[in-house]
């Protein structure tokens, strides 16, 4: 039985208050008892100073996009694995071309190294579970790996070695656009047809079942990349578990869908029975009132730091929440990895657009990182800190220059804390981050080495 004494703790339930002086007893990675008002820390208890709460779910990640950070945000491209930053110009679509240059050269061994460092960066930021939207399935040119799960296993092993849980959302990606062929680069993403995707995901799922930190789910890349016959096949033979799709991130996607199908991307997915309580619409930035009503029982994963970097726009988060949609959050392109920043941006971006404050209670936005985030990636029992729950927790300091002086711990954390204020992370029984540092991985050094190796490969191939 391990014992932890928390200066303050929060269960993750928006209707419950923050507790003080809390003794938590843990056995086999689960909370056994939780008792508030224990004045001093017992000698045999680990002391967690600050606010301890459930670990965060990062519900939308493309791990390899981390290699583009610091290279593409100016908007123009050219040079190195991710292109050199320019001062002006560029769109979502030119950013995507730079991203494809990285995708062109990754192989399983290097993807493992890069992803391990990225997931360790996430751990340091308080993430204990990630939803990896995985479409880099095949070798260059679309050739099959002898082990078709090679890339998926690289990601599961990377998460295991970083100490976090992963849901591998295996992406169906068949077309370069509506009625468009795949580009040479996009061949790596495609299984040829729905049956090919199904066969590979089943093999991959069986392989990943040996990883205690890994679960699997499905994804439709977007209505641009998946033709209607494949959506119909998915409707007939839908695997159990979460289903995610990029939806209406850009106005151009809506225009293309309306022109080809006479309906929005959400309406098209709904026609094929895919929009239900297991479904997560990623972004949902440019959705109509009808789309919002269709998404009422689903999840929507907002990725505000990516959406602002790519000039996507501000989605209707409060309208979605009012309709009943469960909001979740993801760092997506990893322009930054700071889930508290994602959560606060939902409220602050909407303030700018609407001229109104207080659209989302702080506890609800933090909840998007906790139980709803975990639910959307298939870890339904996670995201709570209470007896019986898995003991995946993080501690956020309330005495840093950013957080000191507040009188409401949840508001301080949501509006003032950053990833740098996460001091401790405990997941699946292991204390993986202490004093703000990953205990087994030198995150900056490993990111640097992996991205340098990627640069060498990209330079050699261009
Ligand atoms: Zn994405």
């Amino acid at each position: 039985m391990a014992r932890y004494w928390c200066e303050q703790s929060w269960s993750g339930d928006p209707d419950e208050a923050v507790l003080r002086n809390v003794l938590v007893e843990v056995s086999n990675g689960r909370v056994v008892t939780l008792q508030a008002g224990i004045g001093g820390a017992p000698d045999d208890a680990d002391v967690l100073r600050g606010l301890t709460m459930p670990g965060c779910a990062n519900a939308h990640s493309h791990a390899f996009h981390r290699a583009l950070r610091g290279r593409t945000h100016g908007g123009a491209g050219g040079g190195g694995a991710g292109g050199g930053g320019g001062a002006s110009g560029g769109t979502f679509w030119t950013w995507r071309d730079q991203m494809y240059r990285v995708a062109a050269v990754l192989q399983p061994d290097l993807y493992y190294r890069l992803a391990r460092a990225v997931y360790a960066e996430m751990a340091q930021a308080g993430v204990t579970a990630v939803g990896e939207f995985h479409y880099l399935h095949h070798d260059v040119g679309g050739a099959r790996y002898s082990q078709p799960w090679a890339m998926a296993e690289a990601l599961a092993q990377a998460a295991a070695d970083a100490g976090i849980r992963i849901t591998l959302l295996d992406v169906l990606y068949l077309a370069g656009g509506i009625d468009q062929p795949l580009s040479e680069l996009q061949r790596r993403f495609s299984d040829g047809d729905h049956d090919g995707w199904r066969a590979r995901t089943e093999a991959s799922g069986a392989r990943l079942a040996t990883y205690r930190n890994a679960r699997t789910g499905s994804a439709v890349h977007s209505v641009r990349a998946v033709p209607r016959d494949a959506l119909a096949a998915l409707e007939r033979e839908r695997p159990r578990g979460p289903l995610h799709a990029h939806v209406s991130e850009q106005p151009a996607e809506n225009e293309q869908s309306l022109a080809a199908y006479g309906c929005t991307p959400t309406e098209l997915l709904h026609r094929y029975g895919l929009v239900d309580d297991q479904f997560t619409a990623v972004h949902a930035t440019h959705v109509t009132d009808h789309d919002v009503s269709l998404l009422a029982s689903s999840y929507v994963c907002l990725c505000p730091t990516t959406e602002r970097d790519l000039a996507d726009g501000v989605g209707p988060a409060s309208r979605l929440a009012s309709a009943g949609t469960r909001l979740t959050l993801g760092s997506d392109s990893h322009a930054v990895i700071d889930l508290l920043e994602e959560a606060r941006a939902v409220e602050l971006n909407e303030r700018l657009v609407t001229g109104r404050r207080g659209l989302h209670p702080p506890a609800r936005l933090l909840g998007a990182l906790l139980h709803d985030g975990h639910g959307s990636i298939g870890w339904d029992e996670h995201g709570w800190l209470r007896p019986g729950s898995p003991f995946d927790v993080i501690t956020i300091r309330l005495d840093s220059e950013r957080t000191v002086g507040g009188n409401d711990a949840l508001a301080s954390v949501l509006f003032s804390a950053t990833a740098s204020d996460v001091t401790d992370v405990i997941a699946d029984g292991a204390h993986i981050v202490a004093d703000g540092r990953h205990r087994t991985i030198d995150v900056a050094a490993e990111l640097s080495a992996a991205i340098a190796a990627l640069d060498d490969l990209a330079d050699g191939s261009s």
Side-chain angles (χ1 to χ4, degrees), residues 159-235:
D161 291 347
I164 69 171
R165 303 176 196 274
I166 185 170
T167 300
L168 210 287
L169 299 159
D170 217 319
V171 176
L172 179 59
Y173 195 129
L174 301 174
I178 297 174
D179 296 325
Q180 298 291 316
L182 294 160
S183 70
E184 181 64 19
L185 272 170
Q186 290 167 332
R187 290 183 199 286
R188 294 196 75 178
F189 311 158
S190 174
D191 295 294
D193 56 23
H194 174 271
D195 288 346
W197 172 80
R198 185 72 194 258
R200 186 186 48 71
T201 57
E202 286 178 358
S204 186
R207 182 75 174 185
L208 264 54
T210 61
Y211 285 78
R212 58 177 278 137
N213 70 313
R215 293 182 181 175
T216 54
S218 310
V220 169
H221 179 273
S222 59
V223 301
R224 289 178 282 119
V226 180
R228 280 178 294 183
D229 62 337
L231 294 178
L234 189 59
E235 181 181 21

Side-chain angles (χ1 to χ4, degrees), residues 342-392:
E342 304 291 345
R344 100 172 44 103
V346 174
E347 165 73 18
L348 298 183
N349 287 356
E350 264 199 304
R351 287 186 186 182
L352 291 172
V353 171
T354 64
R356 292 172 51 213
R357 305 177 80 223
L359 296 156
H360 303 271
R364 294 243 169 246
L365 282 181
L366 292 174
L369 294 170
L370 308 180
H371 40 277
D372 286 341
H374 283 91
S376 77
I377 58 173
W379 295 88
D380 302 82
E381 73 278 30
H382 288 248
W384 306 104
L385 174 52
R386 56 193 185 195
S389 302
F391 191 62
D392 286 5

Side-chain angles (χ1 to χ4, degrees), residues 60 62 246 283 332:
H60 189 66
H62 309 276
H246 290 133
H283 302 300
D332 189 5

Side-chain angles (χ1 to χ4, degrees), residues 60-62 65 95 133 135 221 246 249 282-283 303 306 332-333:
H60 189 66
S61 161
H62 309 276
H65 292 194
W95 170 86
F133 197 95
Y135 52 84
H221 179 273
H246 290 133
E249 180 176 9
V282 179
H283 302 300
C303 308
T306 295
D332 189 5
S333 69

Side-chain angles (χ1 to χ4, degrees), residues 88-320:
S88 63
T91 65
F92 172 89
W93 308 100
T94 53
W95 170 86
R96 191 182 71 161
D97 288 342
Q98 293 164 351
M99 180 267 285
Y100 280 1
R101 285 173 52 96
V102 176
V105 296
L106 273 174
Q107 292 294 340
D109 53 347
L110 182 52
Y111 202 6
Y112 161 75
R113 287 174 55 199
L114 176 63
R116 183 181 60 177
V118 174
Y119 295 150
E121 182 186 355
M122 286 186 198
Q124 280 190 177
V127 172
T128 52
V130 61
E132 180 66 33
F133 197 95
H134 171 57
Y135 52 84
L136 200 49
H137 304 307
H138 302 296
D139 204 346
V140 176
R144 303 293 189 260
Y145 287 114
S146 58
Q147 296 182 321
W149 52 78
M151 284 298 217
E153 185 168 34
L155 292 163
Q157 186 66 54
D161 291 347
I164 69 171
R165 303 176 196 274
I166 185 170
T167 300
L168 210 287
L169 299 159
D170 217 319
V171 176
L172 179 59
Y173 195 129
L174 301 174
I178 297 174
D179 296 325
Q180 298 291 316
L182 294 160
S183 70
E184 181 64 19
L185 272 170
Q186 290 167 332
R187 290 183 199 286
R188 294 196 75 178
F189 311 158
S190 174
D191 295 294
D193 56 23
H194 174 271
D195 288 346
W197 172 80
R198 185 72 194 258
R200 186 186 48 71
T201 57
E202 286 178 358
S204 186
R207 182 75 174 185
L208 264 54
T210 61
Y211 285 78
R212 58 177 278 137
N213 70 313
R215 293 182 181 175
T216 54
S218 310
V220 169
H221 179 273
S222 59
V223 301
R224 289 178 282 119
V226 180
R228 280 178 294 183
D229 62 337
L231 294 178
L234 189 59
E235 181 181 21
R236 287 193 302 272
E237 304 176 46
R238 181 166 164 184
R240 289 165 55 86
L243 174 70
H244 288 217
H246 290 133
V247 171
S248 297
E249 180 176 9
Q250 289 282 324
E253 179 185 311
N254 286 0
E255 291 159 16
Q256 291 161 12
S257 180
L258 285 164
Y261 306 129
C263 64
T264 66
T266 300
E267 289 167 342
L268 186 67
L269 294 167
H270 187 264
R271 266 186 209 172
Y272 289 99
L274 303 177
V275 178
D276 60 13
D277 62 359
Q278 294 274 290
F279 178 70
T280 297
V282 179
H283 302 300
T285 309
H286 301 281
V287 286
T288 65
D289 287 346
H290 186 231
D291 294 338
V292 169
S293 68
L294 295 178
L295 291 166
S297 66
S298 302
Y299 298 96
V300 163
C301 182
L302 305 165
C303 308
T305 68
T306 295
E307 289 152 8
R308 70 192 185 201
D309 182 47
L310 296 177
D312 289 344
V314 177
S318 56
R319 274 166 47 214
L320 287 161

